[in-house]
Amino acid sequence: MEALINLFWAKYADLHGAIGRQDLATIAKLDAELDPLLEAIFSTQARDQASVLIQFRFALKLLKEEADDRGCVRRNVHLMQMLVERYLAGGKADEAQASDAEGSEIANIEDATVDGFLDDAVLNRLSQRVMVVTPGYRILYTNDTNASRFAISREQLIGKHVAEFVGLHCFRNEFKSAVDRCLEGKSLPLTYAVDLDGEIVVMRCRMSPFALSPSKPACALVVMEEEADRRRRPAA
C-alpha cells in the first residue's frame, strides 16, 4: 500500500507541475492515472493496525491538500467515511450507495437513448453532460447540463462545431479521432483537458455509436463527466 501511496504523491506533484506549465496533454494523462490509484489505495483491506493508520493518514493528508476545492472535499470526505464504515462501523453502506447511484445514471442514459430515441426529459435530469455529435463534428443534441456549463442556451450550442468547445488543439489531436472510431461502430473512453475561462478542466468521456433512425448516418453519443477539480493551481 505504501508503494501505491508514494506513487500517487509522485504523480500528484507531476500534475501540479504540468498545471504550472499549462501542459494540457500531460494534465489529462496524469489525472486519468490518479483516480485508479486512489481506488486501489482505498479499496485495499488493511490486515493490521499499522496499515489502517497508513490509509487514514493518507486520507487526512489528501483532505488537507485539497481543502480549498469543494468538489475534492466532497469526494475525500466520502473516502474517509468509507474507511470509518469499513474499520469502525463494520459496514460498507456508503460504497453500495455510491455504486447504486452511478449504476442508476448509466441505466438512465441507456434507457433514454434506446432505439435511436432521445428522452429529453430524462437526459435533462442527469448530472452528466450529454451530447450527440454528427459525422461533420457538429452538435446535433445537448442536454441542459452540458449547455449550462458554457452558460449559453441549448439552441446556441446545437449546430456548432465541437472544436469551439473542446479547443482546436484537443479536437485535432484527440477528440476527432475518437469520434471517427465511434462512427465506425466502436464504443470507447476519452479523457482530455480543456481550458474554460482560465480554469483547467479534465473531462472523462464515454462515446458510443448512435443513430436517430436506420436511414440516417450514425452519430456519436458523448457522455461527459467533469472530474474532481484537483487540476487547480495550488495556493501560493
Side-chain angles (χ1 to χ4, degrees):
M1 187 190 305
E2 287 186 90
L4 287 174
I5 291 173
N6 290 336
L7 180 59
F8 175 89
W9 287 124
K11 289 183 178 293
Y12 190 88
D14 290 343
L15 174 66
H16 284 292
I19 292 171
R21 301 190 304 272
Q22 294 290 296
D23 184 347
L24 298 183
T26 301
I27 290 168
K29 176 180 179 296
L30 289 169
D31 193 81
E33 294 172 355
L34 283 171
D35 282 328
L37 280 173
L38 272 182
E39 183 178 351
I41 292 166
F42 282 98
S43 64
T44 299
Q45 177 77 38
R47 297 183 180 180
D48 52 60
Q49 186 177 5
S51 297
V52 172
L53 287 174
I54 288 171
Q55 280 184 316
F56 273 100
R57 285 169 180 163
F58 172 75
L60 287 170
K61 183 177 179 181
L62 194 61
L63 273 169
K64 182 179 179 180
E65 288 288 330
E66 301 182 327
D68 62 341
D69 183 86
R70 285 180 295 177
C72 289
V73 168
R74 284 193 296 269
R75 180 207 61 201
N76 296 337
V77 167
H78 167 72
L79 293 174
M80 176 67 80
Q81 194 171 4
M82 185 176 72
L83 294 181
V84 172
E85 288 286 335
R86 178 187 299 158
Y87 298 119
L88 302 181
K92 296 187 178 181
D94 290 316
E95 289 179 276
Q97 184 177 6
S99 177
D100 289 345
E102 182 179 358
S104 176
E105 287 243 310
I106 293 172
N108 283 335
I109 291 171
E110 292 176 348
D111 291 342
T113 57
V114 68
D115 297 329
F117 174 72
L118 290 168
D119 191 329
D120 193 50
V122 172
L123 293 174
N124 283 332
R125 289 198 298 267
L126 298 178
S127 62
Q128 294 167 312
R129 295 162 56 182
V130 180
M131 66 179 178
V132 175
V133 179
T134 70
Y137 315 108
R138 295 190 176 274
I139 299 172
L140 180 66
Y141 169 85
T142 177
N143 68 346
D144 284 337
T145 307
N146 188 45
S148 64
R149 185 62 180 88
F150 299 103
I152 60 177
S153 69
R154 297 168 71 187
E155 291 74 17
Q156 289 174 290
L157 266 178
I158 292 172
K160 297 288 188 181
H161 198 285
V162 293
E164 293 185 41
F165 303 99
V166 303
L168 187 58
H169 177 81
C170 173
F171 174 74
R172 287 176 174 172
N173 291 278
E174 300 169 280
F175 206 90
K176 180 179 183 296
S177 60
V179 171
D180 289 342
R181 282 183 287 160
C182 184
L183 296 176
E184 291 171 358
K186 299 176 182 177
S187 296
L188 67 156
L190 173 67
T191 300
Y192 65 92
V194 61
D195 190 332
L196 293 176
D197 298 325
E199 176 189 3
I200 299 207
V201 175
V202 172
M203 299 301 305
R204 196 179 301 277
C205 306
R206 299 194 308 274
M207 294 190 183
S208 54
F210 178 81
L212 290 169
S213 72
S215 61
K216 294 184 178 179
C219 297
L221 176 68
V222 185
V223 180
M224 299 164 284
E225 291 183 282
E226 202 166 300
E227 292 298 295
D229 194 9
R230 68 167 72 91
R231 282 79 53 192
R232 288 184 181 173
R233 193 184 298 270

